Amino acid sequence: MHSKTRPRRRGLRAAAWSLVAVLLVGVGLVGAVLWQNSYDLDERRVSIRHGGHVLNGVLAVPRDGRARHGLVVYVHGDGPTDATHDDGYKPIWEANARAGYASLSWDKPGVAGAPGNWLDQSMDDRADETAAAIAWARARPDIDGDRIGLWGASQAGWVLPKVAARTSVGFVVAVSPAIDWLRQGRYNLLAELRAEGASAARTEAETARSDAVRALLARRASFEEYLAAMGGDAHGMTADRWGFVSRNHTADATRDLLALRGVPVLLVLAGQDTNVDTADTERGYREALDAGGALTVEHYPDAAHSLLKRSVEQSELKLTLTALFSPRSLFADGFLDGQRQFLDRLGLPDRLGLPDRAGRPGRALSPR
């Protein structure tokens, strides 16, 4: 009896220690996730009144003890995006905070309980909304109204210059923007077909369908007419989406970009972008803005359209694990530092007590 009990006890002890080890590993993993997803800033929920309704926003403020900060106002790309972009903005907000800037973003209409429907908006509606948010920020005692700028990605490229035409902005960060909606759409279609190794016959068929859709848009066809033309196959299109595309498919930033002349602009382009023809975008920005000398262009060869590392974005497993355990590593190498350095350069005259771009004396601050 005694000889049989001893192995059983040893087995129980081994099982207990195994359980403890598993629990410790689990606690360690949870701790690592919480630590990696904690950011050196304070987030505050805010409400911004605009056009008879409320924008549900987040104001992310640096923990540097200063009473007032510059501000980066975020303009989302396409899709139903909430204020934090599912926490994807937070590493960028932290980079802003390290340069002494707060960040402001809000839920798109109809997202996360916000009133309205973002698919009912035009690019001008989005610009009006952003200008209202800037006016709200300028009225706050904790925001330096002379140091408010814009950050926008992808579809925001059609919104940013419209905002600058409505209200003064101190700077613009444009990430993967396009110039012409229809030209971008054709580039995106052909780039994706090439990536998929599509046959010549399939490419011809898809191009013909795209041409048919363009013709429908040009004559302001209804969604029902679109469905009929497509033989009843919506190809993922909805009535709301059709309305959105119908309102915005003629968007072209070429002339609007002139509103950014003299404004410091950081144009960020991805080397693996299948959504936007980056060569076309860079050419358009240089033609409009180079004369003012305030354009900076940064290329990230290994980045996808979202400025995430292409290798990470292509793998759902890598994307999930990186987001959990190292979210700052989601982005292309140097991207976050590039954002911070751009803002640092803007603030340099202010920190050294030198005149700003308008010739006003700077306020010397203690170095960080």
Side-chain angles (χ1 to χ4, degrees):
M1 182 72 177
H2 180 73
S3 61
K4 291 181 180 179
T5 303
R6 187 175 298 159
R8 186 179 301 132
R9 287 176 177 170
R10 282 200 296 267
L12 289 172
R13 280 198 298 271
W17 279 113
S18 296
L19 178 60
V20 169
V22 168
L23 290 173
L24 288 173
V25 169
V27 169
L29 289 174
V30 170
V33 169
L34 291 175
W35 178 63
Q36 285 291 333
N37 286 272
S38 296
Y39 298 93
D40 191 19
L41 48 83
D42 292 321
E43 294 179 42
R44 307 166 186 169
R45 294 299 307 191
V46 297
S47 297
I48 304 167
R49 298 205 66 82
H50 167 62
H53 63 272
V54 174
L55 304 176
N56 300 330
V58 172
L59 181 65
V61 183
R63 294 172 178 166
D64 57 12
R66 295 181 184 173
R68 303 180 80 216
H69 296 96
L71 180 68
V72 185
V73 178
Y74 277 67
V75 182
H76 304 306
D78 197 8
T81 312
D82 69 358
T84 70
H85 208 319
D86 293 328
D87 291 345
Y89 284 152
K90 291 185 179 181
I92 311 175
W93 292 354
E94 185 179 60
N96 298 343
R98 287 175 177 166
Y101 281 78
S103 302
L104 174 65
S105 181
W106 54 91
D107 303 324
K108 277 192 176 184
V111 177
N117 182 354
W118 65 273
L119 287 169
D120 290 339
Q121 292 185 310
S122 67
M123 297 301 108
D124 283 304
D125 293 332
R126 299 197 63 200
D128 289 340
E129 180 181 87
T130 306
I134 291 174
W136 171 88
R138 282 204 170 104
R140 291 180 62 93
D142 55 346
I143 298 299
D144 183 347
D146 293 329
R147 294 193 300 136
I148 296 178
L150 302 170
W151 188 103
S154 193
Q155 189 183 97
W158 292 297
V159 182
L160 300 173
K162 290 180 180 292
V163 178
R166 287 160 168 76
T167 185
S168 63
V169 295
F171 58 89
V172 169
V173 179
V175 179
S176 302
I179 300 294
D180 180 280
W181 182 295
L182 290 175
R183 202 158 64 231
Q184 175 203 282
R186 181 53 54 89
Y187 172 85
N188 177 225
L189 172 65
L190 296 178
E192 288 187 347
L193 288 170
R194 283 194 300 271
E196 294 169 10
S199 66
R202 183 187 167 201
T203 298
E204 184 179 352
E206 292 289 346
T207 302
R209 183 169 71 82
S210 174
D211 288 339
V213 171
R214 289 172 179 231
L216 290 166
L217 290 168
R219 65 179 180 84
R220 300 181 180 277
S222 67
F223 179 65
E224 288 71 26
E225 290 175 296
Y226 164 80
L227 269 181
M230 296 296 110
D233 184 353
H235 296 279
M237 186 69 72
T238 65
D240 280 352
R241 182 70 185 182
W242 180 256
F244 180 78
V245 174
S246 297
R247 272 186 295 278
N248 295 295
H249 74 281
T250 59
D252 184 345
T254 303
R255 290 187 179 180
D256 291 338
L257 282 172
L258 299 178
L260 297 178
R261 282 189 170 174
V263 176
V265 174
L266 174 62
L267 176 62
V268 180
L269 300 173
Q272 307 296 318
D273 197 332
T274 57
N275 291 68
V276 169
D277 183 345
T278 56
D280 180 67
T281 290
E282 183 172 359
R283 183 167 53 251
Y285 270 71
R286 289 197 183 281
E287 288 175 357
L289 305 179
D290 256 354
L295 175 66
T296 301
V297 182
E298 291 186 354
H299 292 270
Y300 293 90
D302 299 325
H305 177 66
S306 60
L307 265 293
L308 301 187
K309 293 173 182 172
R310 182 70 168 169
S311 60
V312 172
E313 189 184 69
Q314 286 183 318
S315 166
E316 193 66 36
L317 179 60
K318 280 186 180 179
L319 188 63
T320 300
L321 291 177
T322 306
L324 284 173
F325 295 105
S326 186
R328 296 162 187 83
S329 300
L330 288 166
F331 295 97
D333 292 339
F335 172 66
L336 295 178
D337 282 341
Q339 305 284 286
R340 176 185 55 76
Q341 290 165 6
F342 175 71
L343 294 176
D344 270 336
R345 290 195 297 271
L346 292 174
L348 187 61
D350 186 72
R351 289 199 300 277
L352 297 181
L354 301 174
D356 65 12
R357 288 183 302 277
R360 295 170 297 195
R363 299 182 300 278
L365 302 174
S366 58
R368 288 192 291 274

